[in-house]
């Protein structure tokens, strides 16, 4: 260990340790505290006194204990071996820690994030004497059946390739030697390090105009998110945040998912670990764990580690984005991180902001979300990668006027507002269609028009309008009853019910309904709205609302979401034809009665 700067503890307050004699240290330097060498990070400097947030339990640390600065910021290890792994907030591999130490983890336990002994097959992508820039792809390592890990020239390095060879290497072995522009020969290994608080540079940011398809109808049809976009999922306890996030992690059409459990209950991460290996990715047919990195920071870990887990997750995501991949970071939940900021701010005796949160809460949240985006990666080509950031927020009592939710809403472009009453009715995803919104809808309309036709935009707009009309009519129904409404208004209520129960509601345990292709979503909207149009014409021609709602086809529309994608077009067309026949029969019977 590099013992460049040495100080002594003078105060311990939970996860906050104050040490003196640290005048030569820098902000955000990594330090080791006490004889157990607990990992910490300097978060404030006052003269020669450093305030350190420690990422492990500080019981047993006291005044006089030594503190050593490592002279560098908190970094993550980047290289083959990241995918399918599960880490804690400071990138310790939890499975390897369990194998070495068992269930009771000793303080200061340290293992490298990437296995130093495992051999990887490296296949070069450039030849000797080629000139490379920082961010160029030197070669690939097939990490598993799904992910080809692209080995990049480190940022800031450029020059001619002196030596590169194919073979099996450990992550610490040089696979390439580059003679830099200054004449220095620099060996390149499969392993790189990057400070977590510094965003990885890009060549150019592009507008996010390609949707991230999630397979969740309420999201894709009504409130879409772009690849490289930002979204938040606020909702009270029991409103289905975890269900929604798991669905996004399982089915989103991204190449990799970084799932950060920063302070959530351990059983929720256990559910992820149990489910993901068994679930198959609809794009590859392989296990979802083959494209997932988990960062499990549970509630019993020190609050300071929640901040580390957020930065660790976003930095790993940027690394894969720089390879040209589409990556999604799902943080569950940023409220736990904000609570950690509030606790540390209080221990630092800073002037509190609203509800005790620090005044810099919004800027810290913005630093996380602004690292999302669709970018042209560094290097000599035009490689494009995307990083989408989705954060859950857990407002107390579901009050979205509290500071964390409001600060988040000022930053993100998509708001999926969850409602406990929908979750209690087993309506999942429990996204409230009246309060949610997406600011990407207009930007994505061109893509949807190109791939699904103009009908998609028209149908989604009509569906949202009908749901809003239902809300207005509900107020009237509460006052005077449903019988006081006209036939057309009662038809609006009936179709709105169909949209809610048959289209927006999905069963995450159903093989046919857990994930829904865009083409099938379009067909379902066409079916429901086609029935609505036929019913409205029939009402104008004298058919009663009771005759329409009692049709057998109404029940068939309710079961239509369970029709496999391959059969959907034929089955839905047949249902509409059947509606036409049934309505014609009613009209014919009425004409005969009139005679």
């Amino acid at each position: 260990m590099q013992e460049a700067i040495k100080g002594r503890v003078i105060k311990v307050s939970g996860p906050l340790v104050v040490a003196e004699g640290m005048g030569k240290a820098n902000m955000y330097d990594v330090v080791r505290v006490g004889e157990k060498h607990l990992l910490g990070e300097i978060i404030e400097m006052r003269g020669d006194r450093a305030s350190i947030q420690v990422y492990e339990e500080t019981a047993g640390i006291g005044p006089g204990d030594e503190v050593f600065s490592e002279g560098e910021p908190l970094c993550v290890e980047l290289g083959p071996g990241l995918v399918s792994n599960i880490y804690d907030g400071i990138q310790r591999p939890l499975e390897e820690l369990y194998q070495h130490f068992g269930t009771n983890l000793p303080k200061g336990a340290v293992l490298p994030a990437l296995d130093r002994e495992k051999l990887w097959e490296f296949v070069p992508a450039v030849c000797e004497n080629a000139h490379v820039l920082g961010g160029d792809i030197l070669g690939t390592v097939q990490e598993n059946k799904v992910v080809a890990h692209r080995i990049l020239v480190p940022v800031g390095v450029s020059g001619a390739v002196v030596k590169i060879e194919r073979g099996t290497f450990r992550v610490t072995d040089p696979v390439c030697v580059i003679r830099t522009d200054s004449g220095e020969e620099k060996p390149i290994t499969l392993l790189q390090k990057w400070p977590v608080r510094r965003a990885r540079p890009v060549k150019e940011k592009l507008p996010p105009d390609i949707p991230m398809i999630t397979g969740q109808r309420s999201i894709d049809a009504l409130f879409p998110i772009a690849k490289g976009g930002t979204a938040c999922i606020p909702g009270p306890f029991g409103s289905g945040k975890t269900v929604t996030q798991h669905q996004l992690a399982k089915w989103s059409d991204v190449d990799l998912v970084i799932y950060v459990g920063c302070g959530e209950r351990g059983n929720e991460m256990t559910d992820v670990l149990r489910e993901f290996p068994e679930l198959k990715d609809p794009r590859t047919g392989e296990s979802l764990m083959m494209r997932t990195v988990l960062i499990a920071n549970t509630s019993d870990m020190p609050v300071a580690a929640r901040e580390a887990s957020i930065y660790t997750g976003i930095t790993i995501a940027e690394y894969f984005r720089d390879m040209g991949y589409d990556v999604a970071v799902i943080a569950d939940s940023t409220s736990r991180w904000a609570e950690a900021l509030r606790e540390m701010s209080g221990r630092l005796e800073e002037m509190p902001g609203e509800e005790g949160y620090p005044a810099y809460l919004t800027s810290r949240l913005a630093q996380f979300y602004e690292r999302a985006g669709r970018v042209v990666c560094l290097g000599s080509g035009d490689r494009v990668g995307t990083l989408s950031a989705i954060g859950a927020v857990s407002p107390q009592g579901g009050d979205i006027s509290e500071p964390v939710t409001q600060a988040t809403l000022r930053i993100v472009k998509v708001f999926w507002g969850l409602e406990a009453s929908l979750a209690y009715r087993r309506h999942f995803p429990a996204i409230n269609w009246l309060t949610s919104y997406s600011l990407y809808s207009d930007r994505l309309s061109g893509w949807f028009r190109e791939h699904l036709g103009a009908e998609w935009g028209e149908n989604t707009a009509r569906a949202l309008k009908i749901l809003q009309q239902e809300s207005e009519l509900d107020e009237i129904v509460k006052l005077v009853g449903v019988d006081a409404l006209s036939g057309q208004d009662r038809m609006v209520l009936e179709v709105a019910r169909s949209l809610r129960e048959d289209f927006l509601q999905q069963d995450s345990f159903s093989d046919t309904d857990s994930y829904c292709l865009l083409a099938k979503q379009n067909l379902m909207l066409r079916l429901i709205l086609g029935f609505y149009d036929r019913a409205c014409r029939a009402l104008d021609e004298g058919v009663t609302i009771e005759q329409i709602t009692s049709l057998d086809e109404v029940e068939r529309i309710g079961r239509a979401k369970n029709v496999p994608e391959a059969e959907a077009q034929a089955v839905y067309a047949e249902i509409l034809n059947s509606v036409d026949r049934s309505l014609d029969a009613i009209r014919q019977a009425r004409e005969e009665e009139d005679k």
Side-chain angles (χ1 to χ4, degrees), residues 259-264 269 294-299 309 330-333:
Y259 193 99
V260 183
C262 47
E264 285 306 298
M269 292 305 298
L294 295 178
I295 298 173
N297 218 42
T298 55
S299 295
S309 64
I330 298 176
D332 184 16
S333 84

Side-chain angles (χ1 to χ4, degrees), residues 513-554:
D513 197 40
S514 181
Y515 176 83
C516 188
L517 293 172
L518 279 182
K520 184 180 177 183
Q521 295 183 38
N522 201 23
L523 290 170
M524 290 177 69
L525 280 175
R526 184 188 301 168
L527 170 64
I528 295 170
L529 295 175
F531 170 73
Y532 176 56
D533 291 338
R534 287 162 170 78
C536 287
R537 286 197 297 270
L539 286 170
D540 291 339
E541 294 167 0
V543 179
T544 66
I545 185 70
E546 288 79 9
Q547 289 175 312
I548 294 173
T549 55
S550 62
L551 292 176
D552 293 340
E553 288 78 12
V554 173

Side-chain angles (χ1 to χ4, degrees), residues 5 17-18 77 84 109 133 144 158 216 227 238 246 260 308 320 385 390 412 464 483 519 554 575 585:
I5 302 164
V17 170
V18 180
E77 293 187 350
S84 304
L133 304 173
N144 55 41
S158 63
Q216 311 307 299
K227 286 183 177 178
H246 285 195
V260 183
F320 284 110
I390 301 167
V412 302
L464 202 52
D483 293 333
V554 173
I575 291 175

Side-chain angles (χ1 to χ4, degrees), residues 260-282:
V260 183
C262 47
E264 285 306 298
R265 295 178 298 282
N267 61 327
E268 295 181 355
M269 292 305 298
T270 304
D271 288 343
V272 175
L273 286 170
R274 188 187 299 119
E275 291 177 13
F276 278 33
E278 298 174 2
L279 289 166
K280 292 195 180 298
D281 187 336

Side-chain angles (χ1 to χ4, degrees), residues 81 248 335 391 440 479 524 535 574:
L248 291 170
S335 291
Y440 293 117
L479 292 173
M524 290 177 69
E574 198 281 322

Side-chain angles (χ1 to χ4, degrees), residues 331-463:
D332 184 16
S333 84
T334 55
S335 291
R336 303 286 87 81
W337 171 30
E339 287 166 8
L341 289 175
R342 178 168 61 183
E343 178 172 338
M344 294 304 295
S345 176
R347 293 183 185 276
L348 288 167
E349 300 177 359
E350 296 173 337
M351 183 68 73
E354 188 179 356
E355 291 191 21
Y357 289 101
Y360 48 78
L361 171 66
T362 303
S363 65
R364 287 290 178 87
L365 290 169
Q367 286 170 13
F368 168 69
Y369 284 108
E370 73 183 3
R371 290 170 75 166
R374 179 168 170 258
V375 304
V376 178
C377 307
L378 287 182
S380 50
D382 291 326
R383 190 170 65 252
V384 175
T386 65
L387 197 170
S388 308
I390 301 167
V393 185
S394 307
Q396 295 181 356
D399 178 17
I400 64 170
S401 65
E402 58 89 41
V404 181
T405 308
Q406 289 302 308
T408 305
L409 290 181
R410 285 195 288 270
I411 300 163
V412 302
K413 298 291 191 295
V414 179
F415 170 67
W416 296 318
L418 300 183
E419 192 168 306
S421 61
L422 289 174
Y424 294 150
R425 297 203 302 263
R426 296 296 183 265
H427 184 292
F428 292 107
I431 296 174
N432 186 323
W433 47 87
L434 299 175
T435 58
S436 302
Y437 62 81
S438 170
L439 300 181
Y440 293 117
S441 296
D442 290 342
R443 192 180 288 275
L444 298 174
S445 60
W447 188 95
F448 284 120
R449 193 181 306 110
E450 179 183 347
H451 291 82
L452 295 169
E455 177 190 32
W456 170 265
E458 295 167 2
N459 286 345
T460 54
R462 284 187 68 195

Side-chain angles (χ1 to χ4, degrees), residues 32-105:
R32 297 286 178 173
V33 180
E35 62 180 26
K36 298 284 189 183
H37 292 165
L38 306 185
L39 182 70
E41 189 180 19
I42 296 175
I43 58 172
E44 185 181 73
M45 293 292 300
R46 291 185 181 178
D48 74 335
R49 292 188 176 186
S51 297
I52 302 161
Q53 62 178 2
V54 180
Y55 294 134
E56 297 181 71
E57 178 58 51
T58 57
I61 299 294
D65 285 348
E66 292 185 332
V67 175
F68 302 104
S69 170
E70 295 191 352
E72 61 179 22
L74 182 65
C75 296
V76 289
E77 293 187 350
L78 305 169
L82 284 172
V83 182
S84 304
N85 219 325
I86 174 168
Y87 297 103
D88 70 358
I90 49 179
Q91 212 197 6
R92 295 184 299 185
L94 295 183
E95 192 171 343
E96 284 77 4
L97 286 172
Y98 171 73
Q99 291 171 359
H100 279 78
F101 303 108
T103 53
N104 295 320
L105 202 62

